[in-house]
Amino acid sequence: MDETIARPLTREEMRAIRRAVRDEESVTRRFWKALRRVAANTPFAEDLVAVYFCAIDPATPRRVKLTLLGALGYFILPTDAVADFLPLLGFTDDMAVLAAAIAMAAGAITDDHRRRAREIISQ
């Protein structure tokens, strides 16, 4: 199957997302590594970092945390529906998953999460 065409997640990809959600420390470690690798090519890097800060915030409700950790888990997967190295198309699936997670958790992502994200991205 052509990797440039969106496809359903495989069982292994779903297992990786589930593992990421169960292991917040692993998401943290892998998130920063993945973000550094692709930050220059990621137009939604600030949103990703704000989602990360919301996901690790103890005040965030558990259901919201799980949703956000799932979206971050999808972002850090080494393989996903559309290969991330493809210009313009590479992050469309990541952006769609992130947009859905943000829509579900919009009230939980605070101005402080966004401020911290801007600080990180500006460095």
Side-chain angles (χ1 to χ4, degrees), residues 1 19 25 43 47 54 58 76 90 97 118:
M1 174 183 239
R19 279 192 306 270
E25 184 178 311
D47 289 325
C54 184
I76 63 177
V97 170
R118 278 190 299 278

Side-chain angles (χ1 to χ4, degrees), residues 15-57:
R15 277 188 226 128
I17 290 171
R18 286 186 194 106
R19 279 192 306 270
V21 169
R22 281 191 300 255
D23 186 3
E24 188 176 316
E25 184 178 311
S26 173
V27 170
T28 297
R29 185 177 55 256
R30 294 172 62 199
F31 170 73
W32 291 112
K33 183 178 177 182
L35 185 65
R36 277 192 297 276
R37 184 183 74 240
V38 300
N41 300 321
T42 309
F44 55 96
E46 189 175 309
D47 289 325
L48 268 170
V49 177
V51 163
Y52 168 79
F53 284 128
C54 184
I56 65 165
D57 186 340

Side-chain angles (χ1 to χ4, degrees), residues 1-6 81-83 86 89:
M1 174 183 239
D2 185 357
E3 286 293 320
T4 62
I5 298 173
V82 180
L86 294 172
L89 295 175

